[in-house]
Amino acid sequence: MESKSNNNTSKARILIVDDEESILEVMKMRLELLGYEVETKLEPEKALEFIKEGKEIDLLLTDQKMAGMSGQDLMEACLEVDPALQVIIFTAYGTIEQAVEAVKAGAFSYVTKPVDHQDLAHKVEKALEKRALLKRVADLENIVKCQFEFTDMIGNSPQIKAVFKQIVQVAPTDSTITIYGESGTGKELVARAIHFHSRRCKGAFVAVNCAAIPETLLEDELFGHVRGAYTSAATSKDGLFRRADRGTLFLDEVGEMSEAMQAKLLRVIETGEVKPLGSDRIFKVDVRLVVATKRDLRTMVDQGKFREDLYYRIHVVPITLAPLRERPDDILVLMQHFFKKCGEKMGRSINRIEGDVIERFLTYRWPGNVRELQNVVEYLVATSTNDTITDSMLDTTALAQEDSGKRIVPLREAKDEFIKKYLEDLFRRTRGNVSQAAKVAGYYRADFYKLFQKYGINPKAYKIKGKTIEADKIA
Ligand SMILES: Nc1ncnc2c1ncn2[C@@H]1O[C@H](COP(=O)(O)OP(=O)(O)OP(=O)(O)O)[C@@H](O)[C@H]1O
Ligand SMILES: [Mg+2]
């Protein structure tokens, strides 16, 4: 017998509930012959337990009149667990009105007893078609949501590609993730991508910056309070752990947490329970933790500034985002991405970027990383008067400062430049005293002469009347 499937990959699963064992047996046999996978329960309470355990059922067939719980009550309780579940109610002639009520309350259809098996087979097939459709829509919505979240993260460098791979690998697990990286490298973006690639993606993503909130408020934010817990607590508050239940909690700047808060966080991680301030109730929470820091937590542990036990709890899967200056392959694609995005946002289109601009973007150190690059692009688009970004437009940005915009020179040239500067500095500080300068530089006097002559330096130009500084005082 060909098996009926709900989504082309597995058999559709049906749960039948009736307090008459003989009816259950006959119906199970007939439906199995039609290619479905069938579970049966004699008691509605057991059926509800089965669904609550998370067993995947596509269709519930239930008698309307049963001891303990009516078919409709069972249906309503099951729909709370799985709103896409399909339900068909069996009803005797005397209770048709109740069956109609059940359909109004969300059942797919009803079948009168004694059961006409052809009628039942037809309705079962239709109900399962509806179920498959609903599931496909939900899957599609998820795919769109997840892809959107990931396609917004751009990168071409081997480092960022490795991070993308790590995200896909670790997201479906429930492991705690620690994201390391300088400010503006995209830590929060990674945290979001992890959430949207996980089975929790329908749940909440709750972010909190531990450095931005004073300690006492942070505790209140994370764990909540009951009404009257302190003078100004006029209403109760759930706290972010409970808001993130079945979702992901992102704790940014976790390295800035005080010791007392670290201890409280450790307790929640260990027990999976939170106790709001002033409450005697304890709440179980199912939260996946993602934390981020720009500090080196291991060093903080060694310095006694971060609890070692907490470190081991959160440092389960570390993800490191390299500074932008160490992944120049990302600069061009990020530039393109932000010019397009900002252009669309501001209703301007930039069609030309001068070569020097690109080169200066590629050689700048980007201390503020991707966020800084995004800001510079936004500034350039906002101040552009036509569709071209010219070199001179960078003069008012951080890229104009220091050597950041300079071309990279051959190593020998850079070395010569360095030695010349070094010698000038040395003679300035030794007031042009050749013996002393040679000693500090670690050269024999004769060799030292050759060296500074090669660089066209005249020590006399640095002579100042009066004392010279002692060689060992020169830093
Ligand atoms: N790979 C990327 N692709 C696209 N946009 C990015 C990328 N990385 C970072 N950004 C953007 O740069 C900005 C900073 O990113 P994010 O807030 O995630 O950084 P962060 O590491 O959390 O910074 P901070 O330490 O300051 O909180 C955001 O606007 C983000 O969208
Ligand atoms: Mg951040």
Side-chain angles (χ1 to χ4, degrees):
M1 168 71 50
E2 190 195 339
S3 67
K4 300 275 169 93
S5 83
N6 54 350
N7 55 11
N8 300 329
T9 52
S10 61
K11 283 184 184 182
R13 295 194 70 192
I14 301 174
L15 173 63
I16 318 174
V17 190
D18 199 309
D19 47 11
E20 269 186 68
E21 201 159 0
S22 56
I23 291 189
L24 279 185
E25 275 171 15
V26 173
M27 227 168 313
K28 179 174 162 67
M29 195 185 67
R30 282 180 174 268
L31 289 170
E32 278 178 349
L33 280 172
L34 288 172
Y36 301 115
E37 206 175 308
V38 181
E39 283 287 333
T40 58
K41 296 281 174 214
L42 273 167
E43 293 150 55
E45 292 82 2
K46 290 269 161 62
L48 182 57
E49 245 173 59
F50 186 75
I51 299 257
K52 278 191 174 164
E53 278 165 13
K55 302 275 168 28
E56 174 99 353
I57 291 292
D58 299 299
L59 172 64
L60 170 70
L61 300 181
T62 172
D63 196 14
Q64 166 67 343
K65 216 169 155 197
M66 291 177 289
M69 190 188 252
S70 75
Q72 181 167 343
D73 287 346
L74 173 62
M75 171 187 87
E76 284 174 3
C78 291
L79 284 177
E80 266 186 34
V81 183
D82 177 5
L85 178 73
Q86 298 304 304
V87 183
I88 295 176
I89 307 253
F90 302 131
T91 179
Y93 276 111
T95 56
I96 286 183
E97 259 176 38
Q98 288 169 18
V100 173
E101 278 306 306
V103 171
K104 280 189 196 153
F108 176 78
S109 185
Y110 66 90
V111 170
T112 49
K113 275 180 164 179
V115 173
D116 169 347
H117 287 285
Q118 235 179 340
D119 178 37
L120 178 65
H122 178 70
K123 283 180 174 155
V124 164
E125 198 175 341
K126 291 289 158 212
L128 288 170
E129 273 172 24
K130 185 171 172 198
R131 163 78 172 180
L133 194 71
L134 285 176
K135 272 183 82 173
R136 260 207 302 277
V137 171
D139 286 351
L140 266 171
E141 275 171 357
N142 259 342
I143 289 169
V144 171
K145 198 171 156 198
C146 294
Q147 281 190 347
F148 171 75
E149 291 299 330
F150 214 62
T151 50
D152 231 27
M153 205 172 160
I154 307 294
N156 220 0
S157 64
Q159 294 100 314
I160 203 83
K161 282 182 181 161
V163 169
F164 291 163
K165 203 167 147 200
Q166 253 182 316
I167 292 173
V168 175
Q169 275 170 348
V170 301
T173 71
D174 257 347
S175 306
T176 300
I177 314 276
T178 303
I179 307 166
Y180 292 95
E182 288 181 6
S183 187
T185 45
K187 296 187 291 295
E188 182 155 350
L189 218 52
V190 170
R192 282 181 192 278
I194 289 168
H195 173 73
F196 285 104
H197 272 71
S198 75
R199 63 177 178 85
R200 297 169 173 270
C201 80
K202 282 187 231 157
F205 175 84
V206 177
V208 58
N209 185 336
C210 303
I213 306 175
E215 184 183 342
T216 45
L217 284 184
L218 182 61
E219 183 176 356
D220 188 57
E221 279 294 314
L222 290 177
F223 310 124
H225 61 246
V226 293
R227 193 171 148 222
Y230 46 88
T231 356
S232 57
T235 53
S236 66
K237 180 168 161 180
D238 282 350
L240 299 179
F241 262 101
R242 283 173 66 201
R243 261 193 31 216
D245 196 17
R246 291 168 157 239
T248 306
L249 181 63
F250 173 53
L251 295 179
D252 203 354
E253 309 286 11
V254 75
E256 313 306 311
M257 262 190 183
S258 70
E259 250 176 72
M261 274 309 294
Q262 290 177 28
K264 284 174 184 153
L265 177 62
L266 179 67
R267 206 169 320 125
V268 181
I269 296 175
E270 280 173 346
T271 60
E273 294 172 345
V274 286
K275 191 165 166 287
L277 203 68
S279 167
D280 41 19
R281 266 191 76 189
I282 283 175
F283 295 88
K284 265 257 169 251
V285 284
D286 169 21
V287 170
R288 199 251 186 102
L289 210 58
V290 178
V291 307
T293 179
K294 50 176 169 272
R295 298 193 183 227
D296 179 0
L297 290 184
R298 182 63 249 180
T299 306
M300 286 182 77
V301 169
D302 296 342
Q303 295 168 340
K305 291 179 184 155
F306 199 82
R307 288 181 72 113
E308 187 161 24
D309 43 10
L310 179 59
Y311 170 77
Y312 284 116
R313 279 286 180 172
I314 61 175
H315 186 87
V316 184
V317 181
I319 293 183
T320 302
L321 280 167
L324 189 57
R325 63 186 164 277
E326 286 174 19
R327 42 183 169 111
D329 293 352
D330 288 342
I331 293 176
L332 265 186
V333 280
L334 283 167
M335 269 177 95
Q336 271 168 345
H337 172 71
F338 290 131
F339 269 114
K340 187 162 177 279
K341 223 169 130 180
C342 293
E344 281 165 8
K345 200 169 86 185
M346 295 182 205
R348 294 173 180 199
S349 72
I350 302 297
N351 298 319
R352 231 170 61 82
I353 298 169
E354 282 186 355
D356 279 356
V357 174
I358 295 173
E359 194 167 326
R360 287 170 75 176
F361 263 70
L362 289 172
T363 51
Y364 182 57
R365 278 182 60 76
W366 299 111
N369 295 294
V370 185
R371 180 179 293 110
E372 186 184 10
L373 188 144
Q374 187 177 0
N375 290 344
V376 170
V377 169
E378 201 163 319
Y379 170 81
L380 292 175
V381 177
T383 51
S384 64
T385 47
N386 54 30
D387 71 345
T388 303
I389 303 290
T390 62
D391 195 27
S392 64
M393 289 170 75
L394 292 180
D395 291 349
T396 42
T397 69
L399 278 74
Q401 324 264 293
E402 42 177 307
D403 298 343
S404 57
K406 267 195 186 170
R407 273 166 207 282
I408 296 216
V409 295
L411 184 60
R412 189 179 305 168
E413 242 177 275
K415 210 167 116 192
D416 284 347
E417 201 175 314
F418 173 81
I419 294 174
K420 189 158 187 256
K421 268 197 187 141
Y422 173 87
L423 292 173
E424 284 167 354
D425 195 33
L426 189 55
F427 280 125
R428 205 172 299 122
R429 300 181 76 166
T430 53
R431 312 278 207 270
N433 183 323
V434 177
S435 321
Q436 209 172 36
K439 195 173 162 195
V440 173
Y443 265 70
Y444 290 118
R445 205 180 144 92
D447 293 337
F448 195 58
Y449 253 101
K450 280 186 204 147
L451 183 72
F452 67 70
Q453 276 172 344
K454 181 181 162 196
Y455 286 95
I457 291 173
N458 178 7
K460 285 187 185 137
Y462 298 87
K463 284 232 183 284
I464 298 174
K465 278 190 184 149
K467 271 175 51 178
T468 55
I469 302 168
E470 299 299 326
D472 58 2
K473 299 255 171 69
I474 299 167

